[in-house]
Structures are given as structure tokens and as C-alpha cells.
Amino acid sequence: MKKSILYFSLLLFVTSCFTSCNDDDENSIPSSNITGCYVMNYGIWGSGSASISKYDYDKDSLVNNYYKKQNGSELVSNIEYAYTYNDNVFLICSESDQIITLNDTLVQTYNGVTSLIATPRACAGNGGYLYISCWGDSPDYSKMADSYIAKYNIETMTVEDTIHIAGGPEGVAIANGKLYAALNYKDSIAVIDLDDNSISYIGTPAVSSYFVEDTSGNLYVSLLSTYTFASGTTGLGYINTSTDELENVYTLDNVSTEYADMMAINEDKSKIYIISSSYDSSWNLVGGVAVFDISSKSFESSLLISGVAGIEGIAVNPKNDDIYLLTAESATSAGTMRIYNSEGTLQTKYTVGIYPTRMIFLE
């Protein structure tokens, strides 16, 4: 009897050791499973605490510190923006300012490029180039006289040109051979002809931040009121990219001023989801999600989701139209990813990294 107990105990010990070794091996080997939602956690400014969380929606499982798992080291910059293009993922980073190139498994394939990238904000890809909005070396946060667009060659991994645009370009989009730059410090949208770099402007009733594109290649742009440029006209602006005219403005109160994914379009491009948020009397950021129907050109009468504290970013799962929201109680603590169905019912939530602001989906 004692021999049986001893044998059983030894068997448990060996099995435990074998299982532990397998777990360690799995944790040390980069994953080749791509499918999922990747959360960009901005981190604490200047502390090197940025990270990426991966949510596999097929398995309903989340892994924090996914970049470290894939690369064996931490990120050393804050993540301003993430962009997928030509089977790569590009991280636009600040403090220190750089572009980091990853493959589709999030393994870094090239050291961060820093030359001629000063206070980068966002990017858009076209013909083997990234066009990166930059605020310059010493942004004044008023007229932003030294801001520009950096033309980055993906193959040579160098900035070939810079295009000067005052006004603090934030979100950028490319349509009909032109680059559109939302100006966050000027009531205009810059339009750059990519053939000759000539610049024209579309006047807007408020400053702007980001774009989404419809099925016709026309653009919707978020119009907002900021501390520096207050405006009573906020909502969505509709730009005809054939004529470069702001044809309509669809008003919505309290469009988010956060530098995050504050609007998203669903897979069939029938609906735009946009964050509407404001600070309450205790300076808590509280908001929800408004829905714009593209066919009827109107906002739904009430918010689809409401009463969410610390609301930051939004994305729509292209596979099932679930709505993903990011929230953060502060810029120095772990945030939350909340998942709702298309009817606005909360399905689940997970704790992610410090100050989550953006998401990308890979399949």
C-alpha cells in the first residue's frame, strides 16, 4: 500500500514537472495564431510602459503583454497609432518618436525609424508609402506652424520627403489620388495632390480629427469642439472626394476630443459608430456611442450605448459587428475592453494594459 502511494506521488510530481515545462515552452515560443483583436495600450507618458493585448474572439480568450510574448522584450515608446498595410503592422510611436514595423504575427521585423519623424500622430498607406502626420519638434499647441506630413518609403524604411502643413494634422486618409489631413488646430481640412504635392483646403465649421471612408470612396470626418478651438457645430462632415467639397454636416453633441479611435465603420459600411462624451461636474469623462446610418444620412434618435465612464476608443469586429469599447479610469492605470453586440448589449469585458486607446483586427 505504501509503495502504491509512493508511486502515485512520484507520478504526480513527474506529471507536474512535465506540464510546467510545456507551459514554459509555450510562453517562450511566439504564436503563429493571427486571428483576433489587438488592443494598443498607450502606457504612461515617457515611462516605456506601452503594451499590446490580444483578444482571440474565436476562443474568447485574452493575452496581455502580447508584444513581449512575441518579441521577448517590452516596447520602449508610447503607441500613438496602429495601422495595417501590405501584410505589416506599423506602430506610430512617441516618446521616443519612431515607426516600428511588425509582421502579421506582431513580431518586430525592423528597428524603429526615428529620422524626420517628430511628434508623429497617425498614418495612411498608398503605393508603397506611409504618409505620417507629424506635429514637429516643438509643437506650440495653438497655430502648429511647424507641422507636416512625412512620406515614408516602406521598402527602404526612410523618410523621402516632408510636406509642410500648418494646423496640426491628426487623422489622414487617401482617396482619388489625394491625401486628406484633418487639422486639429485649424478649421480646415488639407488636401494634398500626391502627384505634385500641391495643397488646397476645405473649410470646416470646427476643427477635425479622423476619417472613415464609404463605399463610394467619399469621406466622413469627425468635427469637434476643443479647448483651443471651441465650436458650437460638432458631428460628422461629409466630403465629396471628386469635388473636394464639404457637402453636409450632420450634427451630434459632444463628439469625443480624445486622441484615440473615437469612431469606426462596420464591415459593409452601412453604419458609423462615434463616441459622444463629456466631463461631468466631478470631471469624470462619461459618454456613449451614437450610430449614424449611411443610407438615411442621419443619426439614430438615441445613443446605442450610454453611461460609460472613462470611454476612450471604439472598434467594430468585421466578423460579427460586435462593438468593442475601451475605457480607462486614468492615464496611469490598467484599462478595460468592453464587448457589446450590435444591439448594444454588454457581452463581456476584460482588463487590458495601461491607458488603452486603439484597436486593430487581424484575420
Side-chain angles (χ1 to χ4, degrees), residues 220-223 234-237 249-253 255 263 271-276 289-294 296-304:
Y220 288 87
V221 62
S222 54
L223 301 172
T234 62
L236 284 176
V249 173
Y250 305 98
T251 59
L252 175 69
D253 292 337
V255 173
M263 68 174 178
K271 293 182 179 180
I272 299 171
Y273 299 86
I274 184 167
I275 295 173
S276 172
V289 177
V291 181
F292 182 81
D293 185 273
I294 291 179
S296 66
K297 304 293 185 187
S298 63
F299 281 102
E300 293 183 359
S301 57
S302 60
L303 295 179
L304 177 66

Side-chain angles (χ1 to χ4, degrees), residues 318-339:
K319 186 173 182 178
N320 56 19
D321 275 359
D322 280 353
I323 301 162
Y324 290 52
L325 287 185
L326 299 176
T327 63
E329 292 184 4
S330 74
T332 59
S333 60
T336 302
M337 179 184 70
R338 304 161 64 99
I339 301 176

Side-chain angles (χ1 to χ4, degrees), residues 176-196:
N176 288 339
K178 295 167 287 189
L179 173 74
Y180 295 80
L183 301 181
N184 207 227
Y185 289 84
K186 184 178 180 179
D187 54 355
S188 300
I189 292 166
V191 183
I192 303 171
D193 188 317
L194 295 180
D195 290 331
D196 58 14

Side-chain angles (χ1 to χ4, degrees), residues 134-180:
C134 298
W135 284 359
D137 288 309
S138 301
D140 60 12
Y141 301 102
S142 59
K143 294 184 178 181
M144 303 291 275
D146 298 324
S147 53
Y148 61 93
I149 302 294
K151 183 179 179 181
Y152 173 72
N153 187 314
I154 294 172
E155 183 175 351
T156 64
M157 299 179 183
T158 57
V159 175
E160 288 188 355
D161 196 9
T162 58
I163 306 165
H164 175 254
I165 299 177
E170 181 70 15
V172 287
I174 295 174
N176 288 339
K178 295 167 287 189
L179 173 74
Y180 295 80

Side-chain angles (χ1 to χ4, degrees), residues 44 66 76 104 115 186 201 215 241 264 314:
I44 301 170
Y66 191 75
V76 295
D104 57 6
S115 178
K186 184 178 180 179
Y201 292 89
T215 56
T241 58
I314 186 170

Side-chain angles (χ1 to χ4, degrees), residues 33-268:
N33 178 26
I34 295 170
T35 300
C37 171
Y38 296 80
V39 179
M40 306 297 143
N41 304 298
Y42 181 87
I44 301 170
W45 169 254
S47 74
S49 55
S51 66
I52 298 175
S53 303
K54 178 187 175 182
Y55 175 65
D56 187 328
Y57 44 79
D58 287 337
K59 298 179 180 178
D60 190 24
S61 63
L62 181 132
V63 177
N64 282 315
N65 296 309
Y66 191 75
Y67 175 92
K68 182 179 180 181
K69 173 179 168 56
Q70 295 295 87
N71 293 277
S73 60
E74 303 278 3
L75 280 162
V76 295
S77 292
N78 298 105
I79 304 173
E80 292 287 350
Y81 196 77
Y83 184 72
T84 58
Y85 186 62
N86 286 357
D87 296 324
N88 291 310
V89 176
F90 296 94
L91 301 183
I92 307 300
C93 298
S94 61
E95 197 61 24
S96 57
D97 299 341
Q98 60 178 319
I99 309 163
I100 296 175
T101 306
L102 313 174
N103 64 20
D104 57 6
T105 67
L106 264 65
V107 172
Q108 186 166 332
T109 57
Y110 194 78
N111 291 335
V113 174
T114 60
S115 178
L116 299 178
I117 303 294
T119 320
R121 307 300 304 163
C123 69
N126 183 64
Y129 290 91
L130 289 185
Y131 293 85
I132 305 166
S133 54
C134 298
W135 284 359
D137 288 309
S138 301
D140 60 12
Y141 301 102
S142 59
K143 294 184 178 181
M144 303 291 275
D146 298 324
S147 53
Y148 61 93
I149 302 294
K151 183 179 179 181
Y152 173 72
N153 187 314
I154 294 172
E155 183 175 351
T156 64
M157 299 179 183
T158 57
V159 175
E160 288 188 355
D161 196 9
T162 58
I163 306 165
H164 175 254
I165 299 177
E170 181 70 15
V172 287
I174 295 174
N176 288 339
K178 295 167 287 189
L179 173 74
Y180 295 80
L183 301 181
N184 207 227
Y185 289 84
K186 184 178 180 179
D187 54 355
S188 300
I189 292 166
V191 183
I192 303 171
D193 188 317
L194 295 180
D195 290 331
D196 58 14
N197 288 355
S198 60
I199 304 172
S200 59
Y201 292 89
I202 302 170
T204 54
V207 296
S208 53
S209 57
Y210 301 103
F211 300 95
V212 293
E213 184 178 351
D214 68 10
T215 56
S216 301
N218 297 313
L219 299 174
Y220 288 87
V221 62
S222 54
L223 301 172
L224 53 153
S225 179
T226 66
Y227 177 80
T228 308
F229 289 88
S231 174
T233 304
T234 62
L236 284 176
Y238 176 73
I239 299 172
N240 185 322
T241 58
S242 297
T243 62
D244 288 337
E245 294 181 355
L246 181 69
E247 290 192 348
N248 287 293
V249 173
Y250 305 98
T251 59
L252 175 69
D253 292 337
N254 300 319
V255 173
S256 173
T257 60
E258 295 295 290
Y259 294 122
D261 283 334
M262 42 75 63
M263 68 174 178
I265 193 166
N266 65 350
E267 181 69 8
D268 67 7

